[in-house]
Amino acid sequence: MDYYLIKGGRKLKGEVKISGAKNAALPIIVASLLADGETVLSNVPDLKDIRTIIKVIEYLGAETDFDAGKNTLKIKVKNIKNGEMPYDLVKTMRASVYVMGPLLARLGEADVSLPGGCAIGERPVDIHLSGFEAMGAVIELEHGNIKARAKKMKPCEFTMRQVSVGATANLIMGAVLTSGKTVFENCAMEPDIVDLGEFLIKMGADIKGLGTERIVIEGVKKLNPVEYSIMPDRIEAGTFILAGAITRGEVKIKSCIPEHIKSLTDILEESGFEISTGKNWVEIKDGKKVTGFLTKTLPYPGFPTDLQAPLMSLATTIPGISVIIETIFENRFTHAAELRRMGANITIEGNSAITKGVKKLSSAPVMMSDLRAGAALVVAALAAEGETEIRRIYHSDRGYEKLTEKLSALGADIKRVEGGTF
Ligand code: EPZ
């Protein structure tokens, strides 16, 4: 398996262009099943998860043509079919559960494997399922599969018991073709949901309240295929800001939406870093004196759980105490043990990570346990003394496009080595 070798200690300097957002592209690709004809998506990042979701929609009958070099994906939909997807396809990516919305909306039936737990927590899908039940679906669980049937999807008023990005996306897709008025309460307000909603509106859907807790959908008879450009990835943008911060460099993040990462830049500014922003860029520079911070992960517009791990890496190098509380997932601190191997001083107490800044991190062989834990290790290695070897980098291939190229262009000493034996 490939691994990274990173020689730390170089200040990153320069500009980096952010790719399209993985977590917006995934539901948008699936939502293209809602219209017959050819949908053309641009700014689609070339990532392992994107290639997996493409296989998933192909399995359901779509024809696709992904030009990875141009980041353009053409999706032709004619006769979609329901069908139990191979578990191998589904188990690698929880977002496969997104096909329930479009399949129920168009065919009145959906068979999907029940996603299992994963490295960051149990991650049940009960909110998706109770939302579809409220819309008239009858759901059975058999041999690890979800079997959903709806003679006719009906409009409803449904309050999600907890804010869920995935359930909000899935239920919106399920409701856009349901005649009548459907109201969802306690919705996720993440930009990924807004991007999905805007794509659906362009296709002809009638959706109000995107980016708020209450989304109201008037069902339409038919949606049309469109051309659409995926929004920039706020988590990738945040990761590069943190890479700039930990090396005390000067990095300008281009093609991003500064508002989407304000929760992060606010923390960094308070900590003492210099942040400047323009219409579609953010720049970070080292401050005169940086100090520890306190934050907790929250649904948008709060600080995102997907940046918690790389923010912790930064905290390990900031003088004084920092505290990060994780409120979204129950098991998202696996990177802490790996960071300790690099000399970090981190204490975990329940869902809080208490970090005492050290003078220098030092290199060690470490392992990624999930995508963002992986990002944390890369960020830490950029500042560590010596050469860090990072294994299981297939995790970062799921969510960071051209990571080595982008970091090298900023002056990092990073190599991807092919074919290690572990
Ligand atoms: C999305 O996952 C993202 N994935 C995650 O990004 C992200 O960490 C997460 O939202 C939170 O922002 C995609 O968009 C593909 P949730 P999702 O439903 O939709 C609980 C990354 O690294 N819950 O908002 O699965 C759940 O267990 C990934 O890019 C239920 O209890 O997250 C969690 O504690 C990882 N029942 C909380 O809600 C449900 O039916 C929020 O989960 C659904 C969720």
Side-chain angles (χ1 to χ4, degrees):
M1 276 188 262
D2 295 3
Y3 58 99
Y4 288 138
L5 283 178
I6 300 178
K7 272 194 202 131
R10 294 186 172 197
K11 282 183 194 288
L12 298 194
K13 204 167 187 320
E15 298 184 346
V16 58
K17 187 172 172 291
I18 296 308
S19 299
K22 166 179 85 83
N23 289 346
L26 290 170
I28 287 176
I29 290 170
V30 175
S32 65
L33 295 175
L34 287 162
D36 283 339
E38 185 174 83
T39 292
V40 182
L41 301 176
S42 51
N43 208 27
V44 178
D46 182 15
L47 300 170
K48 216 154 100 192
D49 276 9
I50 296 295
R51 290 184 180 261
T52 308
I53 205 80
I54 290 174
K55 279 196 203 140
V56 166
I57 62 163
E58 280 177 347
Y59 190 82
L60 301 175
E63 280 175 35
T64 70
D65 177 7
F66 184 32
D67 185 335
K70 293 197 176 125
N71 296 103
T72 304
L73 173 63
K74 292 184 182 154
I75 303 170
K76 257 195 208 143
V77 175
K78 204 155 101 198
N79 292 313
I80 59 162
K81 59 176 186 355
N82 178 29
E84 243 170 58
M85 268 172 282
Y87 182 56
D88 274 349
L89 203 54
V90 180
K91 75 166 192 237
T92 56
M93 201 189 50
R94 304 177 53 81
S96 338
V97 77
Y98 279 154
V99 302
M100 281 191 83
L103 287 182
L104 278 171
R106 294 210 64 190
L107 307 175
E109 57 175 70
D111 294 330
V112 195
S113 287
L114 180 67
C118 76
I120 60 177
E122 262 191 50
R123 304 184 72 185
V125 289
D126 59 297
I127 305 169
H128 304 233
L129 302 188
S130 40
F132 288 128
E133 278 174 340
M135 294 166 76
V138 176
I139 296 187
E140 285 171 30
L141 292 177
E142 271 177 11
H143 311 296
N145 295 318
I146 304 167
K147 203 171 156 188
R149 296 289 179 269
K151 280 210 180 80
K152 194 168 184 287
M153 294 284 275
K154 57 170 206 239
C156 68
E157 293 203 3
F158 177 72
T159 302
M160 294 180 225
R161 65 164 179 81
Q162 178 178 343
V163 176
S164 160
V165 176
T168 305
N170 217 346
L171 295 176
I172 291 176
M173 292 189 277
V176 280
L177 291 174
T178 301
S179 90
K181 179 173 162 184
T182 299
V183 182
F184 295 124
E185 303 273 4
N186 201 23
C187 293
M189 301 190 281
E190 266 66 3
D192 315 83
I193 297 293
V194 177
D195 211 33
L196 166 68
E198 279 171 1
F199 170 67
L200 290 167
I201 290 171
K202 198 167 180 197
M203 291 170 94
D206 181 347
I207 306 174
K208 305 234 161 43
L210 289 168
T212 74
E213 287 166 11
R214 184 172 197 264
I215 293 181
V216 181
I217 300 174
E218 281 289 347
V220 294
K221 284 219 165 66
K222 182 172 170 276
L223 296 177
N224 301 305
V226 291
E227 292 185 9
Y228 192 78
S229 179
I230 308 289
M231 71 170 197
D233 195 312
R234 67 201 162 100
I235 306 301
E236 188 200 12
T239 306
F240 276 99
I241 289 175
L242 289 164
I246 201 167
T247 63
R248 308 299 193 264
E250 268 186 48
V251 174
K252 187 170 183 181
I253 317 291
K254 287 180 20 183
S255 305
C256 67
I257 301 175
E259 182 63 26
H260 288 177
I261 39 175
K262 194 169 178 307
S263 59
L264 171 68
T265 49
D266 281 354
I267 294 169
L268 296 178
E269 236 173 354
E270 250 169 61
S271 168
F273 289 92
E274 269 183 42
I275 301 279
S276 13
T277 53
K279 190 166 166 267
N280 60 356
W281 58 267
V282 175
E283 190 169 34
I284 176 142
K285 287 186 189 158
D286 194 12
K288 284 199 183 73
K289 185 171 181 275
V290 289
T291 54
F293 52 81
L294 164 68
T295 189
K296 66 174 168 186
T297 62
L298 286 171
Y300 191 83
F303 176 71
T305 173
D306 289 347
L307 286 173
Q308 175 260 108
L311 180 68
M312 193 184 300
S313 298
L314 174 66
T316 67
T317 69
I318 289 187
I321 305 279
S322 297
V323 179
I324 306 179
I325 304 168
E326 171 60 57
T327 75
I328 308 290
F329 291 109
E330 65 274 22
N331 190 26
R332 216 175 190 182
F333 283 149
T334 50
H335 44 283
E338 299 298 294
L339 291 173
R340 280 192 207 112
R341 288 173 50 76
M342 300 176 72
N345 183 340
I346 305 169
T347 308
I348 303 292
E349 277 180 21
N351 65 346
S352 304
I354 302 136
T355 304
K356 191 164 176 221
V358 293
K359 278 225 166 72
K360 263 267 166 252
L361 293 173
S362 63
S363 59
V366 286
M367 246 172 5
M368 296 187 178
S369 52
D370 74 77
L371 168 58
R372 310 303 174 187
L377 299 180
V378 170
V379 166
L382 293 170
E385 221 156 44
E387 189 172 56
T388 300
E389 180 183 299
I390 307 180
R391 302 177 190 180
R392 301 200 179 168
I393 62 172
Y394 52 85
H395 286 296
S396 65
D397 294 340
R398 295 184 60 173
Y400 291 94
E401 190 181 43
K402 300 195 178 88
L403 185 62
T404 36
E405 289 91 326
K406 288 186 182 185
L407 284 172
S408 301
L410 292 172
D413 185 340
I414 173 169
K415 262 199 298 244
R416 184 183 182 113
V417 184
E418 279 176 22
T421 50
F422 26 77

